[in-house]
Amino acid sequence: MADIRNCARCGRLFSSTGNRICPACLAEDEKRFQKVAAYLKEHPLADVLEVSQGTGVEEHVILEFVRTGRLEAVGLGEKLQVQCERCGRPIRSGRYCAACQKELAEALAQNTAAQPKSVEDADMYITEFKLRKQSRKE
Ligand SMILES: [Zn+2]
Ligand SMILES: [Zn+2]
């Protein structure tokens, strides 16, 4: 279901089907993401500052990619640390640590009547899925 909301990036109103940013910003993001991903391929140990200088993409945008689980902080070196938004533990990507994700998922399952924060929840599940894939690799 589409609803009208403000773009989290540029503040313009747009019709959202779950996205936090508008289509224009999304396209812009995709370009930046490709740049950052390409840079990291050549410089796998670069930290966020080097990536920012090398690509012209602002640091907070790079961190946003990590936070949303699109990039893994481990590829960006030690300086780029993401913290669990709930308990503050350092994590590699996403918004919550594995323990908090589990608790949140359980709380969610127990309380289906709670007003769902659809975007946040979707993010959480994507991150959880990614983490599961990662731990299988290790
Ligand atoms: Zn926008
Ligand atoms: Zn946590």
Side-chain angles (χ1 to χ4, degrees):
M1 206 179 67
D3 66 328
I4 305 294
R5 63 170 81 180
N6 284 97
C7 170
R9 186 73 43 81
C10 68
R12 263 192 296 243
L13 284 172
F14 72 109
S15 167
S16 169
T17 51
N19 291 324
R20 273 181 292 194
I21 60 177
C22 70
C25 288
L26 210 60
E28 198 54 42
D29 247 27
E30 189 55 36
K31 266 191 252 166
R32 289 174 173 148
F33 179 75
Q34 295 302 339
K35 258 197 219 170
V36 171
Y39 187 87
L40 280 173
K41 231 179 218 175
E42 284 177 48
H43 311 87
L45 297 174
D47 63 45
V48 66
L49 190 65
E50 289 167 335
V51 177
S52 176
Q53 285 169 346
T55 58
V57 177
E58 292 165 62
E59 286 179 46
H60 74 90
V61 176
I62 299 168
L63 286 166
E64 176 82 16
F65 289 144
V66 176
R67 220 166 275 135
T68 53
R70 295 188 74 184
L71 283 178
E72 287 171 28
V74 68
L76 292 171
E78 294 294 304
K79 282 183 205 166
L80 181 51
Q81 286 266 328
V82 194
Q83 289 177 339
C84 171
E85 289 183 12
R86 203 157 162 261
C87 70
R89 225 158 70 169
I91 50 175
R92 280 188 185 178
S93 72
R95 302 177 58 203
Y96 304 108
C97 71
C100 287
Q101 276 181 30
K102 196 163 165 274
E103 276 179 43
L104 287 167
E106 275 166 12
L108 206 73
Q110 274 170 18
N111 192 5
T112 44
Q115 199 65 10
K117 293 181 290 168
S118 57
V119 176
E120 265 70 22
D121 294 343
D123 270 2
M124 197 176 87
Y125 286 121
I126 291 163
T127 305
E128 195 184 13
F129 175 70
K130 243 181 101 99
L131 285 173
R132 252 190 254 136
K133 273 203 317 203
Q134 277 171 14
S135 51
R136 215 175 291 153
K137 250 187 302 179
E138 280 155 7

